[in-house]
Amino acid sequence: MNSYQNPTRPNSISESEGLPGWTYFSPGLFDLELEVLFYSHWQFVCHVNEIKYPGEFVSYDIGAERGFVIRDSANRIHAFHNLCRHRGSRVVSGKRGQCNKVMVCPFHGWTYNLDGTLRGIARRDTFSESDFSNLGLKRIEFEIWNGLIFIRFKPGKQASISEIMNRHTREIQPYGLDRMIASPKGRITDRIEANWKAVRDVDNEGYHVPQAHPALNDLYGKDYHDETMKGETSRSVGRFTPGPRKHWSVRNYLNILPENNDLPESHRNIWLYIGIFPNLVLGFYPDCVIFYQEIPQTPTLTLQRGGVFHHKDESREMKLARYLSGRIDRETSKEDSMLSVWVSEATKSSAYDKVIFSYLEKGVLSYHDLLREKLPVTKLDVEPATPQLQDLNDRMLSAVT
Ligand code: FES
Ligand SMILES: [Fe+2]
């Protein structure tokens, strides 16, 4: 079989086509994607053990939305918009930190309890309002799955994260993700000058592994496969190939990696990836669990955030193996970033025409199918005009001249 087939897809685009070029740089579509995909789909923020103590918080910003999760003094977790009810300042600053008993707004000093209720107002007597009781921080919906905290800025049609992940829950249970801690050294944020979908497209297939990723190819190149998306998740597996290794990190990783007896034998020699629509991938390795996530900044700029979770009481060998798997991943992500930039740039070229896909790239196409389902406008070959704003501006201009 050398072409991708999905007889159930109800649209006019040939089954072997990807998204048209304009969808990778259109500002109008970018705004729509934020609304339709990112604000109303679950966004991963952090592991519960990253906010272990009262007052600890981790923030998460995307598009126009700013959020954070925090633990209160009764050990409960909350998710809030990071927006002071006075004049909109951030209440907590930075990517993570710890508040001391209360959150103090850095602008005029309003204070909030760790459960988000308003506690104190500087110079209260200078306000004409008498009732401040409804001015607690605005809540964001959140859900915890296997120790991972997800937030959703706007209610969407998407199911709960535990329903979405249901088909994977049994498989990942032996990894003990909910008991893991985050490695501070494993945190990375890369700036990629590419549309977020180009980054996702590169990641959604393994056809490029033998050519583009010498280390990964050495690790599992001969036995890697992607499954098409089912629901809102994808699954890919790379099984370590036996034989001599050329790559230093891979050779040492496989020599040092101890047998992980918590995992069934079938999972002791694989890297298992689970993609969660639209922008998260979890990687389950014998030595740790990793994640990476694309956070769109502009139509042609994406931040990719990543991190590593591991068991606190891991052996020295396991720690060393984790260090080496991290080296392999850093190398891979540099290679992927370059490819994402090139693919994204190409979509603007006058020479950009239809791209074609191998069966081995079916992960890209099944992801595009889901995008087309949620954003049917991406089926159009030519970018539709987004005249409303421009029209209004033009009309206002002509009214004053
Ligand atoms: S904006 Fe927060 S106290 Fe004024
Ligand atoms: Fe890659």
Side-chain angles (χ1 to χ4, degrees):
M1 191 169 183
N2 60 6
S3 66
Y4 170 74
Q5 298 291 323
N6 179 356
T8 58
R9 202 178 77 203
N11 64 49
S12 60
I13 286 186
S14 145
E15 297 300 338
S16 59
E17 280 188 24
L19 298 174
W22 68 267
T23 61
Y24 290 82
F25 52 83
S26 158
L29 180 66
F30 181 80
D31 290 344
L32 200 60
E33 287 170 339
L34 286 173
E35 280 293 333
V36 175
L37 302 179
F38 292 96
Y39 300 155
S40 53
H41 284 66
W42 295 105
Q43 295 294 302
F44 168 63
V45 180
C46 66
H47 194 289
V48 286
N49 288 335
E50 289 177 79
I51 51 167
K52 205 168 178 188
Y53 302 105
E56 275 192 306
F57 68 86
V58 173
S59 61
Y60 185 82
D61 300 347
I62 190 158
E65 299 293 358
R66 309 189 308 226
F68 68 102
V69 296
I70 191 165
R71 192 179 287 270
D72 74 12
S73 25
N75 224 9
R76 290 171 307 200
I77 288 172
H78 304 269
F80 300 115
H81 287 273
N82 193 0
L83 213 85
C84 179
R85 298 300 301 277
H86 174 218
R87 279 178 52 198
S89 164
R90 283 176 189 265
V91 176
V92 296
S93 58
K95 287 183 182 155
R96 59 186 67 237
Q98 185 164 19
C99 302
N100 193 7
K101 294 209 170 101
V102 289
M103 296 176 253
V104 183
C105 176
F107 199 171
H108 310 92
W110 282 29
T111 54
Y112 297 88
N113 294 308
L114 300 180
D115 64 4
T117 49
L118 182 62
R119 183 182 177 117
I121 298 166
R123 298 291 310 272
R124 182 189 278 252
D125 56 317
T126 61
F127 288 87
S128 54
E129 284 82 354
S130 54
D131 183 12
F132 291 87
S133 56
N134 288 326
L135 292 183
L137 295 179
K138 287 196 176 167
R139 290 186 180 277
I140 301 174
E141 183 183 11
F142 76 98
E143 189 181 336
I144 299 169
W145 175 83
N146 270 282
L148 306 183
I149 309 175
F150 291 80
I151 60 174
R152 187 159 63 170
F153 284 102
K154 293 184 180 169
K157 291 185 190 132
Q158 225 193 3
S160 70
I161 197 75
S162 40
E163 281 169 309
I164 290 167
M165 295 300 281
N166 190 31
R167 75 183 180 106
H168 306 288
T169 300
R170 213 159 128 199
E171 182 175 27
I172 66 97
Q173 193 273 332
Y175 290 87
L177 174 58
D178 55 334
R179 301 188 304 277
M180 286 184 167
I181 56 171
S183 157
K185 283 190 188 153
R187 284 180 197 134
I188 50 130
T189 303
D190 289 332
R191 198 184 138 89
I192 308 175
E193 293 194 5
N195 180 269
W196 69 273
K197 294 187 294 303
V199 181
R200 198 85 306 289
D201 288 353
V202 167
D203 192 63
N204 278 341
E205 51 93 356
Y207 177 45
H208 69 285
V209 168
Q211 178 65 34
H213 298 313
L216 280 193
N217 193 43
D218 221 12
L219 182 67
Y220 57 55
K222 289 191 184 62
D223 191 359
Y224 173 87
H225 70 273
D226 296 307
E227 292 170 9
T228 49
M229 292 203 81
K230 286 197 187 90
E232 303 210 345
T233 66
S234 63
R235 181 178 178 278
S236 307
V237 175
R239 185 168 300 280
F240 306 158
T241 19
R245 300 304 192 309
K246 286 184 255 152
H247 197 278
W248 183 89
S249 300
V250 174
R251 193 167 58 242
N252 286 294
Y253 174 64
L254 292 173
N255 283 341
I256 286 159
L257 181 67
E259 193 90 337
N260 184 339
N261 295 319
D262 293 336
L263 303 181
E265 266 183 47
S266 57
H267 284 58
R268 289 178 197 171
N269 59 352
I270 64 166
W271 281 11
L272 161 71
Y273 302 95
I274 294 173
I276 305 158
F277 189 85
N279 62 335
L280 179 68
V281 174
L282 299 173
F284 294 87
Y285 303 170
D287 46 296
C288 62
V289 175
I290 61 116
F291 80 89
Y292 48 95
Q293 176 184 41
E294 295 80 43
I295 307 178
Q297 303 294 300
T298 71
T300 52
L301 178 66
T302 302
L303 292 186
Q304 193 174 48
R305 187 170 86 105
V308 178
F309 307 116
H310 64 91
H311 286 294
K312 197 177 176 184
D313 56 356
E314 67 189 348
S315 66
R316 270 191 69 221
E317 291 76 20
M318 198 60 99
K319 186 174 179 178
L320 199 49
R322 177 163 63 79
Y323 164 75
L324 290 163
S325 66
R327 275 182 65 114
I328 297 167
D329 270 345
R330 290 303 295 149
E331 200 172 301
T332 305
S333 81
K334 263 193 215 147
E335 291 153 354
D336 276 339
S337 296
M338 180 194 77
L339 296 168
S340 305
V341 171
W342 288 355
V343 166
S344 188
E345 282 171 354
T347 61
K348 286 188 171 176
S349 164
S350 61
Y352 191 80
D353 200 347
K354 292 191 183 346
V355 289
I356 57 168
F357 292 93
S358 142
Y359 176 70
L360 295 173
E361 294 164 290
K362 61 185 184 295
V364 181
L365 287 162
S366 63
Y367 185 88
H368 286 191
D369 282 341
L370 193 50
L371 275 172
R372 280 187 275 258
E373 200 180 301
K374 298 195 182 243
L375 287 166
V377 74
T378 60
K379 293 178 192 174
L380 301 172
D381 282 341
V382 179
E383 181 177 9
T386 45
Q388 293 87 340
L389 222 153
Q390 200 176 343
D391 273 356
L392 181 61
N393 195 50
D394 289 347
R395 272 186 275 129
M396 290 169 85
L397 266 177
S398 52
V400 292
T401 50

